Each structure stands twice: as C-alpha cells, then as structure tokens.
C-alpha cells in the first residue's frame, strides 16, 4: 500500500502541490466535517503506516514491480486508479485513527478567529457559505496561505551515515518545528503583514528563508543538520521525538551556526531561549521565564555587542496525562491573542502538527504529513515553484484532543515587545485560577541555605484572589 501511495498520491497530498495552484479568493474557506469525505488532501501518519526505512522501501518497490505487467493491458490505467483509490481510502482511515476525522475550512460559527496574534472578526453574513468571499474570510485565507508549510519530503540526499532519503512516517515533529522557526524568520525579515502574491515573482528574502530549510546539509536548518545537532537529545533518522527534545535541539543548532559565522552574517539572526522549570534550564517543574536569563541569552548571542537582540522563546509543556487538562485550555487559547505568538508544536501521540490559530475550542493547523518530492530553492532563482511550501485549505482539530506534550513559541523583535509579552504573560498567569502555563520572574535569588528561589513579578493568587490549586504538571 505504501508503494502505491508513494507513486500515485503524493502529487495530490499537499493542498498546495505544484499542479494545484489556486487563487485563494476563489477557494471556499467555509465547510464542515462532512465535506471532508470529498477532500483529496491525504496524510500519512506514523505508528499506523509501515516504516519508510530503506529496507522496507526496497521490498515494497519490488512488490510493486511484480504487478507492473497488469498495468500494460488495455485497461491498465483503470486497474491503477482503482488500486490507488483503495489505498487512499485506507490512508484516510489511518489518518482518522490518529488525528481524527479530517475537518477543513471554517465552521459556520461567527466567533472571532485568532491567527498568530491577528484577530479576524466574522460577521453573521460572512459566516455563511454564500458569503465565503467576504472581506474578513478572504483576509484570513490570504494570511493562512502565506504561512510557510513544511512537509515530509522524499528523494533528498542521505541523512548522515544512514540510508534515509525520506522522512516519511517519522519526521513530523521535525517538520512542525521547521515551520515555527521559518515563521519566526518570516516575521523578522518581511513583517507580520507580509502576504504571498501569486501574480508577482517571490521576494529574495522569502526565497532566502526557504533556502535555509532545504533538505541537504548545505542548508543551515535542514533536518539533516537538526538531527546532527540533537543527537544528545535522542534525535536520530527514523526515530520520532517529542517537543522538549526538538526545542533543545534547535537551541543547539542555532548556537552551532552562530559559532560557525560572525555576528553580522548569521543565518538565524535571533537568540533562542528555552523557558524551563528550573534555574539551570534542566527539565522538570512548572516553566519559569526569568527576565535576567533572557537578557543573558541575548548578550551571549550578540557576543557582548549589545544587551538585547531579537529573541525566540520556546516553552515546552506537559499539561496532563493522556490529554490536555481542560483547566489549561483557556490559557492555551489566549496565547494566540499575543502579538508575539508563533503557535504550538502539538498534535496527537506520534503525529505532530503546527497549530497556528484558534476559533472557540478548535485549533487550525498546518499538517506536515503530506508527502512531496524534494524542491531545491535558492534566492538567485526567482522562477522556482514554491507552491508546495504553502497550504490553501485550513484544517482544524478539537483542542481538547491534543496530546498534553507540546511547546509554545513566541517571537519578540525588540526589548519593548518583550516587555509587552511579559506583561501579557503575567496577566494570563494571574487569571489562570491556579493553573498557569508558565510564570514570569525578574531574577533568581538564593535563600540563606543557598537554595535558588525565584523572585516573581506577580503570582496567580494576586490576580485571582483564590487559593492556588495543585496543578497537573508532569516532568518533561
């Protein structure tokens, strides 16, 4: 089945595949779960589809070749299409077992939508299918389709000393994290208001960002280099990893690239800071954002040339046991209202996605599980087709069904923006009824016994006036 899917499905897997360019103004953004039965966007999910290791790929390709004579008959294409259709149906059922039934578009709700810090307020008229070309929905569609999509790729150069030339079935968390980092660079270099224009040649800065995430060791932030930088955190070709490990791996990769080049020529021109649960940055406990530690990260990144640089904050969390504790959902939703929001790395167990927006209790996401051929992008070639790096069809998942292990991302371009973020985060913690996602402190101090303590700016009880309840924090 895998061989059949690889041969006939990938070209249609991506909602933005090469042969499927669509004008967003003509694409309906309003649908419900029933319409998903006719949706051609299929995904391959790990843990339910066979491994894509070189051995299994060779055996499946050999199996497929045994059936080639059947395809040479006068009705050969009918046989192929029927077989591909059966495989597609099986893949859809596999997807539903992991991510649940595919839900696309925007529901009929008139509730506002938050997409990485931008609010889209839908009127009663615009929420109906007849008015799907309304101004707000069109603006939302343009914004969503301008976000950078990273998916499974096949046909790239082997990863390290392995024989892996594809990350199908195991690389979804790596691809999700690439999306978040690419989005941070997009915001920094082109601004939050940037939109992809189909009628104009792509900007050099935009192509330069995609080039950084190419699928080879020559690209600074390829999965090849990410796996190499994250070996000490368990990253390896063919293995699935969690949010905490991938966040630490990015921190290591950015540090490595900073050391390889001078400050002025950095490929990633912002510091990376992991918000963790203890003073020394190790795992365990409720995450604490210490302002002094963030300042230190900026100074180290600039090699002492300045006290502040643009910074990317990553907050790995575990918010329950089998699923996200409902007490945390209001705070998770509220983070998308922050202007600094970069969304969530999260999904179902073994199936990571990049959640970029919310509407009520639904999370809009970009899905890395579509399989596409490798595309070489460089800023010198402005004729390159980049449609496979974008998605025109919003998909959503109930937030209550998310795996409790996830990571938040925030981008602060300057000190004033970071100060604004701290004020918002502190207020959010105060309104969390004793279940904050993370807290904010000014500094660490030590008591008379030499034990590190945090000097908090504000506590949740100061805002709520209620007793602090025991939350469901787990060791990361």
């Amino acid at each position: 089945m895998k061989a059949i899917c690889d041969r006939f499905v990938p070209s249609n897997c991506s909602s933005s595949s090469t042969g499927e360019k669509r004008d967003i103004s003509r694409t309906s953004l309003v649908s419900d779960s029933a319409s998903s039965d006719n949706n051609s966007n299929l995904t391959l999910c790990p843990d339910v589809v066979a491994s894509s290791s070189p051995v299994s790929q060779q055996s499946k390709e050999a199996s497929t070749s045994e059936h080639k004579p059947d395809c040479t008959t006068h009705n050969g294409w009918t046989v192929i299409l029927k077989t591909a259709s059966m495989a597609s149906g099986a893949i859809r059922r596999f997807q539903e077992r992991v991510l649940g039934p595919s839900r696309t578009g925007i529901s009929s709700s008139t509730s506002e939508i938050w997409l990485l810090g931008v609010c889209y307020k839908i009127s009663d008229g615009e929420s109906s299918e007849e008015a799907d070309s309304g101004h707000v929905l069109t603006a939302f569609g343009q914004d969503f389709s301008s976000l950078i999509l990273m998916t499974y790729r096949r046909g790239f150069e082997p990863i390290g000393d392995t024989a892996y030339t594809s990350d199908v079935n195991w690389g979804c968390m790596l691809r999700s994290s690439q999306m978040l980092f690419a989005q941070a660079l997009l915001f920094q270099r082109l601004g939050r208001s940037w939109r992809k224009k189909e009628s104009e040649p792509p900007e050099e800065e935009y192509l330069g960002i995609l080039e950084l995430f190419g699928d080879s060791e020559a690209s600074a932030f390829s999965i090849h280099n990410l796996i190499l930088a994250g070996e000490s955190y368990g990253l390896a070709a063919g293995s699935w990893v969690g949010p905490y490990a991938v966040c630490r791996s990015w921190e290591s990769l950015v540090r490595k690239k900073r050391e390889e080049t001078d400050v002025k020529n950095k490929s990633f021109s912002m510091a990376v800071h992991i918000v963790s649960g203890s003073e020394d940055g190790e795992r365990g406990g409720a995450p604490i954002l210490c302002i002094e530690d963030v300042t230190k990260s900026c100074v180290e990144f600039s090699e002492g040339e300045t006290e502040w640089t643009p910074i990317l904050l990553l907050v790995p969390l575990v918010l329950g046991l089998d699923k996200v504790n409902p007490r945390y959902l209001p705070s998770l939703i509220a983070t998308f209202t922050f202007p600094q929001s970069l969304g969530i790395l999260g999904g179902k167990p073994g199936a990571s996605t990049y959640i970029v927006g919310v509407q009520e209790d639904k999370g809009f996401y970009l899905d890395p599980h579509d399989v596409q051929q490798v595309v070489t992008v460089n800023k010198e070639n402005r004729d390159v087709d980049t449609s496979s790096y974008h998605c025109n069809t919003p998909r959503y998942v109930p937030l209550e069904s998310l795996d409790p292990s996830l990571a938040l991302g925030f981008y602060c371009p300057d000190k004033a923006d970071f100060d604004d973020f701290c004020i918002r985060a502190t207020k959010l913690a105060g309104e969390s009824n004793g279940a904050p996602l993370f807290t904010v402190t000014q500094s660490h101090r030590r008591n008379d016994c030499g034990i590190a303590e945090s000097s908090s700016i504000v506590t949740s009880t100061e805002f709520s006036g209620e007793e602090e309840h025991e939350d469901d924090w787990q060791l990361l």
Side-chain angles (χ1 to χ4, degrees):
M1 184 191 72
K2 170 71 165 51
I4 293 172
C5 176
D6 280 354
R7 291 180 63 188
F8 303 109
V9 176
S11 61
N12 292 327
C13 264
S14 173
S15 56
S16 309
S17 58
T18 302
E20 200 176 347
K21 284 189 177 180
R22 290 175 290 182
D23 186 344
I24 190 62
S25 64
R26 297 197 301 270
T27 302
S28 175
L29 296 175
V30 183
S31 64
D32 53 34
S33 58
S35 66
S36 66
D37 294 336
N38 298 322
N39 194 317
S40 63
N41 297 319
L42 306 178
T43 63
L44 291 174
C45 300
D47 297 336
V48 290
V49 180
S51 170
S52 64
S53 66
V55 175
S56 62
Q57 286 180 346
Q58 291 171 2
S59 63
K60 290 173 185 176
E61 288 171 359
S63 175
T64 303
S65 64
E66 294 175 1
H67 295 80
K68 285 183 178 179
D70 294 336
C71 298
T72 59
T73 62
H74 67 282
N75 63 342
W77 280 109
T78 302
V79 174
I80 291 174
L81 292 175
K82 286 183 178 179
T83 307
S85 177
M86 293 173 61
S88 300
I91 293 172
R92 184 179 296 111
R93 290 191 294 273
F94 284 144
Q95 175 186 355
E96 291 180 357
R97 285 176 58 188
V98 180
L99 288 175
S102 177
R103 299 176 173 89
T104 62
I106 300 174
S107 67
S108 58
S109 172
T110 59
S111 300
E112 61 189 19
I113 300 172
W114 284 93
L115 185 66
L116 299 185
V118 176
C119 181
Y120 293 94
K121 296 183 178 180
I122 304 174
S123 66
D124 292 337
E126 284 189 312
S127 66
S128 65
E129 291 193 16
E130 291 76 12
D132 66 339
S133 61
H135 173 70
V136 175
L137 289 181
T138 299
F140 169 80
Q142 291 172 339
D143 194 355
F144 183 87
S145 63
S146 296
L147 302 178
I148 294 179
L149 171 71
M150 302 285 181
T151 70
Y152 288 151
R153 296 283 180 174
R154 56 177 182 169
F156 50 68
E157 63 183 46
I159 298 176
D161 296 330
T162 74
Y164 282 95
T165 59
S166 172
D167 61 319
V168 175
N169 299 340
W170 56 267
C172 57
M173 176 57 73
L174 305 183
R175 297 299 185 181
S176 298
S177 68
Q178 281 184 322
M179 287 190 256
L180 187 149
F181 271 72
Q183 208 56 53
L185 283 174
L186 196 68
F187 289 173
Q188 182 188 38
R189 299 184 182 184
L190 295 173
R192 179 63 183 88
S193 60
W194 178 85
R195 300 293 181 266
K196 188 175 186 295
K197 300 177 178 63
E198 297 291 345
S199 59
E200 300 178 9
E203 295 93 331
E204 185 175 310
E205 282 283 9
Y206 160 75
L207 294 177
I209 293 172
L210 296 185
E211 184 178 2
L212 291 172
F213 296 87
D215 292 300
S216 70
E217 292 184 3
S219 296
F221 304 123
S222 64
I223 63 171
H224 299 64
N225 290 323
L226 181 58
I227 289 173
L228 181 62
E231 285 181 341
S232 61
Y233 296 103
L235 267 66
S239 299
W240 197 90
V241 295
Y244 177 83
V246 82
C247 287
R248 285 297 184 188
S249 299
W250 274 105
E251 182 184 45
S252 298
L253 180 57
V254 171
R255 183 185 303 114
K256 178 182 178 182
K257 294 303 177 183
R258 180 195 66 202
E259 294 170 352
E260 291 177 352
T261 58
D262 60 66
V263 176
K264 295 181 180 179
N265 296 319
K266 292 186 188 302
S267 52
F268 193 77
S269 49
M270 64 183 75
V272 175
H273 182 81
I274 309 297
V275 180
S276 58
S278 65
E279 181 181 9
D280 59 2
E282 294 301 320
R283 295 180 289 176
I288 302 171
L289 188 152
C290 176
I291 295 176
E292 281 188 355
D293 290 346
V294 175
T295 303
K296 180 180 178 182
S297 294
C298 291
V299 172
E300 290 179 350
F301 182 81
S302 68
E303 298 179 353
E305 291 191 4
T306 178
E307 291 186 359
W308 191 263
T309 65
I311 192 164
L312 172 58
L313 303 172
L314 297 175
V315 191
L317 302 168
V318 179
L319 303 179
L321 298 176
D322 298 328
K323 60 180 181 179
V324 173
N325 188 313
R327 297 171 63 193
Y328 296 109
L329 290 178
S331 294
L332 277 180
I333 293 171
T335 61
F336 285 91
T337 68
F338 289 20
Q340 303 83 9
S341 173
L342 282 175
I344 299 175
L345 299 180
K348 293 294 186 68
S352 173
T353 62
Y354 177 36
I355 301 172
V356 295
V358 291
Q359 183 185 34
E360 296 180 335
D361 60 349
K362 299 185 293 292
F364 293 101
Y365 66 93
L366 291 171
D367 189 356
H369 295 90
D370 295 342
V371 186
Q372 303 186 93
Q373 191 68 26
V374 165
V375 176
T376 300
V377 177
N378 59 71
K379 55 188 177 183
E380 285 76 26
N381 181 15
R382 301 187 68 184
D383 294 328
V384 64
D385 182 3
T386 62
S387 60
S388 64
Y389 286 96
H390 297 275
C391 176
N392 292 337
T393 305
R395 303 174 182 177
Y396 62 87
V397 62
L399 293 174
E400 64 182 9
S401 68
L402 293 181
D403 186 285
S405 180
L406 50 84
L408 309 178
F410 303 94
Y411 168 63
C412 301
D414 52 45
K415 183 63 166 63
D417 207 64
F418 175 73
D419 291 341
D420 176 76
F421 168 76
C422 290
I423 292 173
R424 293 173 184 271
T426 301
K427 185 174 185 295
L428 181 62
E431 296 171 346
S432 65
N433 293 322
L437 298 175
F438 59 94
T439 59
V440 180
T441 72
Q442 179 62 46
S443 63
H444 293 293
R445 59 183 176 84
R446 294 185 177 275
N447 59 22
D448 295 337
C449 297
I451 300 175
E453 296 179 339
S454 295
S455 176
S456 300
I457 294 177
V458 66
T459 63
S460 58
T461 53
E462 288 175 359
F463 272 92
S464 63
E466 301 176 2
E467 289 187 10
E468 185 172 355
H469 303 287
E470 182 180 357
D471 58 27
D472 294 326
W473 282 103
Q474 307 295 323
L475 291 180
L476 288 172

